[in-house]
């Protein structure tokens, strides 16, 4: 397949390198010092599932790439609209644009700019980041990627992508029958992990040791599940207990990308995470006081206020 990784950061860089190693034609879209390093020295992935170095074409201009079979969108949710506006040269009839981003709104945001027929849902379970320009560090998580057509059909293009990812070493690939359920399942976890580690500035191990903090963690998950079900999303009954059990097994020093962005003066995805929960809750008439509190506490930093 000819694939474009739009946003070759922690998630996109990992996925792009693995797909290139599997023999696919992979193009990277990146920017700044990271792009400079990719162009001069290639992409190095340092991973708990094995290191690799690949030399791939990298650019900040999608017109240099041309139409692709698939575009794997891995930018921060804050950049979704800007990325969609630049995506035209990558698209032809049938091109799948798969959002491997945080949140449950990106697919709808994409459809506001590009034709909805291109949009495919996706979920990434991986802890990876840019360690330094040109270097992606994969430190944990199953490297599990879940994807599916928004209407649940098994189309030719989604089966082609499934074949490619399933045969890629270092990637656990899952073709979902109902990607909307999968999006909200992960959303329930990341809103709790992100919200609590960012507001308290403490890792998950500290949260587990504090009864009040762990109760707030649980309530954040419960609120997201309540909103999802009010929207007609058939989440599994054990979603709350599943994520609490998962969080119990996380490295005690684990934070979240929201915490990282907060502490490194980077743009925060608050609006696409806890802020999104609040908006959806208002729309369906569900109370979400914990997510409201997280949003209120972090909003000054997310807005860049001193």
């Amino acid at each position: 397949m000819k694939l474009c990784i739009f946003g070759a950061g922690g998630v996109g860089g990992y996925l792009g390198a693995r797909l290139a190693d599997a023999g696919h034609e992979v193009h990277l879209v990146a920017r700044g010092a990271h792009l400079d390093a990719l162009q001069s020295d290639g992409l190095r992935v340092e991973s708990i599932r094995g290191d690799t170095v690949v030399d791939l074409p990298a650019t900040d201009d999608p017109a240099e790439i041309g139409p692709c079979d698939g575009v794997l969108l891995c930018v921060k949710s804050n950049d979704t609209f800007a990325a969609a506006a630049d995506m035209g040269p990558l698209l032809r009839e049938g091109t799948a644009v798969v959002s491997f981003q945080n949140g449950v709104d990106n697919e709808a945001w994409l459809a506001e700019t590009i034709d909805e027929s291109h949009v495919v849902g996706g979920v990434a379970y991986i802890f990876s980041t840019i360690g330094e320009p040109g270097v992606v560090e994969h430190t944990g998580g199953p490297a599990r990627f879940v994807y599916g057509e928004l209407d649940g059909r098994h189309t030719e293009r989604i089966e082609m992508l499934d074949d490619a990812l399933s045969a890629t070493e270092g990637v656990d690939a899952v073709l979902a029958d109902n990607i909307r359920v999968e999006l909200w399942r992960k959303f329930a976890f990341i809103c709790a992990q992100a919200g609590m580690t960012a507001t308290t500035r403490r890792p998950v191990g500290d949260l587990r040791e504090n009864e009040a903090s762990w109760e707030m963690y649980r309530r954040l998950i419960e609120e997201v599940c309540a909103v999802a079900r009010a929207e007609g999303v058939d989440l599994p009954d054990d979603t709350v207990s599943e994520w609490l059990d998962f969080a119990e097994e996380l490295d005690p020093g684990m934070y979240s990308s929201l915490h990282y962005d907060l502490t490194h003066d980077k743009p925060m995805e608050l609006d696409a995470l806890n802020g999104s929960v609040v908006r959806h809750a208002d729309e369906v008439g569900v109370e979400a006081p914990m997510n409201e509190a997280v949003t209120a506490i972090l909003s000054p930093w997310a807005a860049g206020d001193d």
Side-chain angles (χ1 to χ4, degrees), residues 5 7-18 28 34 43 45 54 56 74 136:
I5 306 296
V11 175
Y14 180 86
L15 197 50
R18 297 305 191 193
L28 307 177
H34 188 50
L43 170 62
V45 173
V54 292
L56 301 175
C74 303
V136 166

Side-chain angles (χ1 to χ4, degrees), residues 11 24 34 75 154 156 243 245 248 252 272 275 299 305:
V11 175
H24 298 282
H34 188 50
V75 300
H154 283 200
E156 180 179 354
W243 286 131
D245 290 345
E248 288 279 7
S299 284
D305 296 341

Side-chain angles (χ1 to χ4, degrees), residues 6 19 46 70 85 110 115 136 167 170 172 195 197 205 221 230 237 259 270 286:
F6 205 117
L19 284 163
E46 299 175 353
L110 282 170
D115 193 288
V136 166
D172 295 334
T197 58
I221 300 175
D237 293 337
H259 173 272
L270 179 64
V286 171

